[in-house]
Amino acid sequence: MPGRDNLLSHHKTNFHYTGGAIVQMHSDNEQTWYLISKEDTAAALETDLNTGLTQEEAARRLERYGPNELEAQRGRTIWEMLLDQFKEVLVLMLIGAAVVSGLVGEVEDSLIILLIVVLNAILGVVQESKAENSLAALRQLSAPIATVIRDGKVQHIPARELVPGDVILLEAGANIPADARLVEAVNLRCEEAALTGESVPVEKSTAPLQDAEAGLGDRVNMVFSGTTAVYGRGKAVVVGTGMKTEIGKIASMIQKASQEPTPLQIKLGELGKTLGIVALGLVVVVFLLGIVRGEPAFEMFMTAISLAVAAIPEGLPAIVTIVLALGVQRMAKRRAIIRKLPAVETLGTATVIASDKTGTLTQNEMTVTRVYVNGQMLQVTGQGYEPVGQFRSQNGEVLEDPLQDDHLNVLLHGFALANDAKLDAGDNRYGIIGDPTEGALVVLAAKAGLTFQENEHGDYPRVGEIPFDSRRKRMTTFHKLNGAGRLSGIDVINSGYVSFCKGAPDVLLSLCTRIYSGGKIRPLTDADRQRLLEVNGSMGQQALRVLGLAMRQWDAIPEDISPETVESDMIFVGFAGMIDPPRPEVKDAVREAKEAGIRTVMVTGDHKLTATAIAKDLGILESDAQLVISGPELEKMSDGELDEVIERVRVFARVSPEHKMRIVEALKRKDHVVAVTGDGVNDAPALKGADIGAAMGITGTDVAKEASEMVLADDNFATIVAAVAEGRTIYDNIRKAIYYLLSCNVGEILAIFVTIMLGWGRPLTAIQILWINLVTDGFPALALGVEPAEAGVMRHKPRRLKESIFAGGMGARIIFYGCLIGLLGVAAYYLGIREGLSVSAARTMSFATLAFAQLFQALNARSSESLFRVGLFSNRYMIAAIAASASLQLLVMLVPFLQGVFEVTPLDAAHWDVVIGLALVPVVVGEIQKLVVKTSRLR
């Protein structure tokens, strides 16, 4: 066997074996196995194409280069997940507040705060672990078993044990276990959509290529890990395993991508910093003001610390986590697995959804949609065949049922018989075994009740064939006409045998001299030929892949079954046009996204013409001002040139994973929040680099799922748009909770600040402040987190990424209603003092007024619409929360033991009337304010 040194001198190139792959290197460091012969490949890898490696050599290479599997990123431990929960600014501030509270003697309050922090952390860890476990159930090895030749024997071994130099055998339906150079290919076609985005299987060959710049989809003498052989058979030499495969290179790109904080994390971090400054300022100002007014120093210190704690909504982290967790549960019921809690909210900010075409926007199933026969076009639907205009028989009669026509029956028989695909009856639906294009033709015939299996063993057994090859662009099968000696009762075909030839229309027409038209076989004229070529061109302009069918009758099978002998003087029958059709729900989802101000961009490896047709059909491409850019065109653009046109591009076709990364980065430079959907390996880098990635759970590859924040278990693109609505609702509800908590806390702060400034003393004790802050606020805030979506949540533009969490007037409303609630507390305290009540009784009135006013404020915070329009009982959790909080407040005020703990005194009916009357003011004011706003908008 020639050594590598001899081969090096022969080719004047450098062969380099590294990390599981011997690669021929040029100056650009690309693998170029596709440029050299199979003999040179075997020599470079020191293997024998007939006997393969020995077991001993394979074991040595496995030891040296490692198993044939992707390097999995180390999962985070429970402790790491738990530690991450304590990195938020708000959580750290709460821990500090708990420590201070404990140091000043408020141990119970300190424990309550710490309990909330710990529960929040545990909930976050549980949800993240649940999501990871759900995803783990979807993971499967793409090629667990490989067929290999070792020691001259065919063996089946675990795919992870493959090494460079192994000789593997491939057959239809086999997963490709590693990157390999083909040395034999017999009608071999591979489905590479997961890697290249090309939905049509690629025909393989063994000859060296001449184009050193050939892309993955054009390297026809190579097979790639993660793809599938769908037709024929082959033999190949493994040249790359594990991370040195094309799929491994993409996985490596993913692992290098960095994670950015989500918009919600950014906003809560900003809020935490702001509240921290406010809390520190309050401690100093209130304490100094109390001392100046003659209040006891220790009591003022306690009050100041309590106010500092009150300024921080300690329930907010728990509320945010719970709201997100509930959103995850709702999405799980809709078949969407959220891997990280903030992912749903992030999707709610999306301004662009960049989606792969194959399997995401389309069904990843080639389907015949047009049939042309006897000079007439038929549309093929899920229910059958519909004529485009009137459909006439060979006698000129209008037929209501096209299946009554002999021409169509001949076409269906021919496509069903000249076919190697089979229908596979599954539990809930039929599947296809074999080439997808041939499968589409089998389904076409099955819609008319004609199945290949029945005819193969029935009246039309196959007695000969000429297989398809790319040079001829056609295949021919011979069938014996048993029974009546004719085809399905069609008198025009009455010989003992018939051959059917299907293939490229232009090639087929050049081999035909006759045509089956008008109920008879007649000569094919130049006018006929020109018209048929025009029909073929028209179908092609609709992005249809067109196949033609021709036939020939035989009294006996010719002795020489060769293309030159039998594929001539044929009778043209008709065309079938097929396409990978859009998912039926996607068009509505694209329209809904547009109404929500979200742009859908198709990013695909498929051809420009096909991508354009699908994009127009789905409403993604709507005007001439919108652009379609191909991968080669994108390659020639600088980043600056791409930035200039990116806002107008709706379709990117024939792109590579590197191109997709550039597209995502360009969109993000324009301040877009980019969501990427996809299912293939080629989608993974963009899934990881985007703000949020959504991978398909059924057709999605493991690499794509690992790269995503969300996995759609039903592969339904429409679920993405539903997730946008869910994300917007979640963010709205979190803002409502923040609005409610801060307006209440501002009220408490203002009440104490005003009374001390006026020299009236403190209207609340430290324990009363903490009680209101920790208990009375908590349940209603949680109930706001599950508030139903506002009407029209998907009829407004996404909020800006840098938009303040207080945008839309929320900051002003917090101040207004905070002042209103605070002044109501001051009013209750003042009325109590004026009536000669004790300071304790006056504080009790203020305590009760502030607590119940905050509960009624929760009703205000539910919606920008009137409470009567929204419905008082439309959120039953809110009613339960108010009832629970009110009950707790009444227990504190009515149970003698608790009255002593919280320093309250019993109130008579008159004082309760004052408390309830003041507490209802926020709801009344809120309804008036909403009515005024609505009236002004109507004007």
Side-chain angles (χ1 to χ4, degrees):
M1 182 179 296
R4 276 177 284 178
D5 292 339
N6 294 335
L7 190 62
L8 294 179
S9 61
H10 176 70
H11 284 285
K12 297 182 180 178
T13 56
N14 178 24
F15 282 88
H16 178 56
Y17 200 173
T18 174
I22 305 175
V23 296
Q24 182 187 14
M25 307 298 292
H26 286 290
S27 58
D28 56 3
N29 290 330
E30 289 189 359
Q31 299 185 16
T32 55
W33 293 107
Y34 52 91
L35 296 178
I36 64 175
S37 70
K38 56 188 179 182
E39 293 81 11
D40 288 346
T41 300
L45 292 166
E46 298 183 348
T47 189
D48 188 287
L49 297 181
N50 296 315
T51 62
L53 298 173
T54 64
Q55 290 288 9
E56 293 76 12
E57 177 61 21
R60 282 194 293 269
R61 295 191 184 188
L62 183 62
E63 178 69 23
R64 182 176 180 183
Y65 301 111
N68 175 36
E69 57 189 9
L70 300 183
E71 296 175 0
Q73 289 183 327
R74 184 182 67 86
R76 296 199 305 159
T77 66
I78 294 294
W79 292 110
E80 287 173 330
M81 287 189 227
L82 188 62
L83 183 62
D84 279 351
Q85 307 301 317
F86 294 97
K87 291 181 179 179
E88 298 291 339
V89 175
L90 279 176
V91 174
L92 293 174
M93 291 182 64
L94 286 174
I95 293 173
V99 171
V100 172
S101 296
L103 292 176
V104 297
E106 298 296 333
V107 177
E108 292 180 1
D109 302 326
S110 176
L111 291 176
I112 290 173
I113 298 172
L114 289 175
L115 180 62
I116 289 175
V117 171
V118 171
L119 287 176
N120 170 61
I122 292 173
L123 183 58
V125 170
V126 168
Q127 288 296 331
E128 193 166 335
S129 298
K130 273 186 178 181
E132 288 298 330
N133 291 337
S134 298
L135 185 71
L138 295 174
R139 295 188 187 112
Q140 294 180 353
L141 290 175
S142 59
I145 299 296
T147 304
V148 63
I149 299 176
R150 286 185 180 173
D151 290 325
K153 299 177 182 179
V154 177
Q155 304 176 31
H156 300 285
I157 66 171
R160 69 185 304 275
E161 296 180 7
L162 283 178
V163 296
D166 262 327
V167 178
I168 57 175
L169 301 179
L170 309 171
E171 60 182 9
N175 291 317
I176 309 299
D179 286 5
R181 171 67 162 85
L182 285 166
V183 297
E184 289 182 14
V186 180
N187 299 318
L188 181 63
R189 278 176 263 173
C190 291
E191 173 64 70
E192 298 180 346
L195 188 64
T196 67
E198 175 58 67
S199 58
V200 177
V202 178
E203 184 175 358
K204 296 297 183 177
S205 65
T206 61
L209 303 183
Q210 302 301 316
D211 182 8
E213 305 300 325
L216 290 180
D218 297 321
R219 298 177 190 177
V220 294
N221 57 9
M222 300 286 295
V223 290
F224 302 102
S225 176
T227 63
T228 305
V230 296
Y231 192 85
R233 60 183 176 83
K235 181 194 288 187
V237 180
V238 174
V239 298
T241 60
M243 296 299 287
K244 294 301 180 179
T245 60
E246 292 296 331
I247 191 175
K249 288 163 60 180
I250 295 174
S252 178
M253 290 168 56
I254 294 167
Q255 292 173 358
K256 294 176 183 177
S258 60
Q259 288 286 352
E260 298 178 2
T262 68
L264 183 60
Q265 290 170 327
I266 294 171
K267 302 304 178 190
L268 289 180
E270 293 172 353
L271 177 61
K273 293 175 183 177
T274 302
L275 293 178
I277 296 172
V278 170
L280 182 60
L282 278 173
V283 170
V284 176
V285 172
V286 172
F287 178 76
L288 293 178
L289 184 60
I291 296 298
V292 170
R293 290 294 184 178
E295 295 289 331
F298 178 74
E299 290 185 11
M300 280 311 307
F301 179 72
M302 287 286 294
T303 300
I305 291 295
S306 299
L307 277 179
V309 173
I312 303 173
E314 64 285 325
L316 184 57
I319 289 166
V320 169
T321 302
I322 290 170
V323 171
L324 289 171
L326 291 174
V328 167
Q329 294 172 12
R330 288 194 295 270
M331 293 306 297
K333 292 178 181 178
R334 303 179 70 167
R335 308 291 292 162
I337 298 173
I338 308 300
R339 298 186 67 215
K340 294 185 179 180
L341 290 181
V344 178
E345 181 276 334
T346 309
L347 190 58
T349 69
T351 58
V352 174
I353 300 177
S355 175
D356 180 48
K357 178 185 73 68
T358 304
T360 308
L361 296 172
T362 65
Q363 300 176 29
N364 199 20
E365 296 177 354
M366 293 299 288
T367 304
V368 176
T369 59
R370 290 285 191 277
V371 168
Y372 183 82
V373 66
N374 193 27
Q376 300 171 91
M377 187 71 73
L378 281 171
Q379 178 179 351
V380 185
T381 67
Q383 289 69 42
Y385 307 86
E386 298 178 0
V388 179
Q390 292 184 332
F391 193 81
R392 299 182 181 275
S393 71
Q394 55 266 33
N395 299 321
E397 299 174 353
V398 176
L399 297 177
E400 295 296 330
D401 182 7
L403 292 177
Q404 298 173 6
D405 182 61
D406 287 350
H407 300 85
L408 179 58
N409 273 294
V410 171
L411 185 80
L412 297 179
H413 275 80
F415 277 137
L417 294 170
N419 204 309
D420 289 327
K422 293 180 175 62
L423 280 176
D424 178 34
D427 295 334
N428 300 316
R429 55 172 293 181
Y430 280 99
I432 294 295
I433 299 176
D435 181 82
T437 298
E438 290 199 320
L441 297 173
V442 170
V443 172
L444 173 72
K447 289 178 179 177
L450 177 64
T451 57
F452 173 77
Q453 291 90 331
E454 294 171 357
N455 289 285
E456 181 182 22
H457 305 292
D459 290 338
Y460 322 113
R462 184 184 297 189
V463 294
E465 66 180 291
I466 305 175
F468 175 89
D469 70 57
S470 59
R471 180 183 57 83
R472 292 168 40 249
K473 297 184 179 179
R474 58 189 183 274
M475 75 172 288
T476 300
T477 58
F478 289 82
H479 302 271
K480 184 176 181 181
L481 301 181
N482 292 332
R486 59 189 181 185
L487 184 67
S488 189
I490 300 172
D491 293 332
V492 73
I493 301 178
N494 51 23
S495 57
Y497 298 88
V498 64
S499 63
F500 288 106
C501 180
K502 77 171 191 293
D506 53 342
V507 175
L508 213 60
L509 281 170
S510 69
L511 301 172
C512 293
T513 58
R514 293 168 290 168
I515 184 172
Y516 179 34
S517 176
K520 59 184 179 181
I521 297 172
R522 62 173 178 80
L524 180 68
T525 67
D526 290 341
D528 292 329
R529 202 181 305 275
Q530 181 62 33
R531 186 181 73 255
L532 291 170
L533 289 173
E534 290 174 357
V535 170
N536 176 47
S538 175
M539 295 173 75
Q541 286 297 317
Q542 300 172 51
L544 297 177
R545 186 185 185 200
V546 185
L547 288 179
L549 180 76
M551 65 181 179
R552 185 171 175 180
Q553 301 187 75
W554 306 85
D555 294 327
I557 295 295
E559 294 183 3
D560 178 20
I561 299 180
S562 65
E564 294 75 18
T565 303
V566 302
E567 292 178 344
S568 61
D569 193 29
M570 292 191 293
I571 305 163
F572 180 79
V573 179
F575 294 133
M578 63 192 70
I579 197 170
D580 180 12
R583 290 180 175 271
E585 69 277 2
V586 167
K587 191 168 187 176
D588 289 339
V590 170
R591 187 189 68 253
E592 186 177 2
K594 182 182 178 182
E595 291 175 354
I598 302 168
R599 182 194 314 164
T600 302
V601 177
M602 180 189 294
V603 184
T604 178
D606 214 337
H607 292 281
K608 195 171 184 178
L609 184 63
T610 303
T612 300
I614 294 291
K616 287 181 177 178
D617 187 22
L618 292 175
I620 295 173
L621 190 62
E622 296 181 298
S623 72
D624 294 338
Q626 296 170 346
L627 302 179
V628 179
I629 292 180
S630 68
E633 292 169 338
L634 180 61
E635 190 73 38
K636 297 175 182 177
M637 289 183 175
S638 65
D639 286 347
E641 291 171 332
L642 179 58
D643 290 346
E644 290 179 4
V645 300
I646 192 70
E647 299 285 14
R648 293 194 292 137
V649 181
R650 294 296 182 272
V651 177
F652 289 94
R654 302 299 282 175
V655 296
S656 68
E658 292 81 5
H659 293 150
K660 290 190 176 186
M661 289 291 287
R662 279 194 69 197
I663 293 164
V664 169
E665 291 166 355
L667 287 167
K668 292 176 78 171
R669 284 196 297 271
K670 291 292 185 178
D671 293 328
H672 284 291
V673 177
V674 185
V676 170
T677 68
D679 61 351
V681 174
N682 60 316
D683 298 316
L687 285 168
K688 189 74 173 181
D691 295 286
I692 183 168
M696 303 295 128
I698 298 174
T699 59
T701 60
D702 290 341
V703 175
K705 293 169 190 173
E706 289 289 348
S708 65
E709 284 81 17
M710 178 164 64
V711 177
L712 304 181
D714 60 357
D715 284 16
N716 193 334
F717 176 84
T719 305
I720 297 294
V721 181
V724 171
E726 189 69 48
R728 291 186 176 190
T729 300
I730 286 172
Y731 189 79
D732 287 346
N733 288 347
I734 290 172
R735 290 182 79 236
K736 291 173 185 177
I738 293 172
Y739 162 53
Y740 168 69
L741 291 171
L742 293 186
S743 62
C744 293
N745 290 354
V746 167
E748 299 163 21
I749 294 166
L750 185 67
I752 293 175
F753 186 82
V754 169
T755 54
I756 291 177
M757 187 176 65
L758 294 175
W760 296 351
R762 293 173 295 122
L764 296 172
T765 65
I767 190 66
Q768 289 170 349
I769 294 172
L770 292 172
W771 173 259
I772 293 175
N773 194 50
L774 295 177
V775 179
T776 312
D777 292 357
F779 294 141
L782 283 173
L784 285 171
V786 294
E787 189 71 27
E790 296 267 6
V793 69
M794 290 295 284
R795 291 197 292 272
H796 62 79
K797 293 182 178 181
R799 69 181 185 277
R800 291 178 290 107
L801 183 61
K802 297 180 181 179
E803 181 178 283
S804 168
I805 202 167
F806 300 106
M810 193 176 90
R813 290 197 302 276
I814 288 173
I815 294 173
F816 175 79
Y817 283 98
C819 291
L820 178 61
I821 292 170
L823 291 177
L824 292 173
V826 172
Y829 182 70
Y830 171 75
L831 291 175
I833 295 295
R834 194 184 68 175
E835 292 185 13
L837 297 180
S838 65
V839 172
S840 177
R843 283 176 177 168
T844 301
M845 288 184 65
S846 181
F847 179 43
T849 298
L850 285 169
F852 287 109
Q854 290 182 17
L855 295 182
F856 288 123
Q857 169 66 358
L859 296 176
N860 250 353
R862 287 187 56 194
S863 174
S864 58
E865 296 284 345
S866 168
L867 183 61
F868 300 102
R869 182 178 179 84
V870 172
L872 181 62
F873 299 98
S874 59
N875 184 353
R876 64 181 185 275
Y877 299 105
M878 177 59 74
I879 301 303
I882 291 176
S885 295
S887 298
L888 289 172
Q889 182 67 21
L890 289 173
L891 281 175
V892 166
M893 298 188 66
L894 300 178
V895 176
F897 167 73
L898 294 177
Q899 288 176 346
V901 173
F902 286 89
E903 302 178 35
V904 299
T905 58
L907 299 178
D908 58 28
H911 294 140
W912 272 111
D913 288 342
V914 172
V915 167
I916 298 302
L918 291 173
L920 283 170
V921 169
V923 174
V924 175
V925 173
E927 287 299 308
I928 295 172
Q929 177 249 330
K930 292 172 184 177
L931 179 62
V932 170
V933 171
K934 183 177 181 180
T935 304
S936 64
R937 287 176 179 172
L938 292 176
R939 291 176 182 175

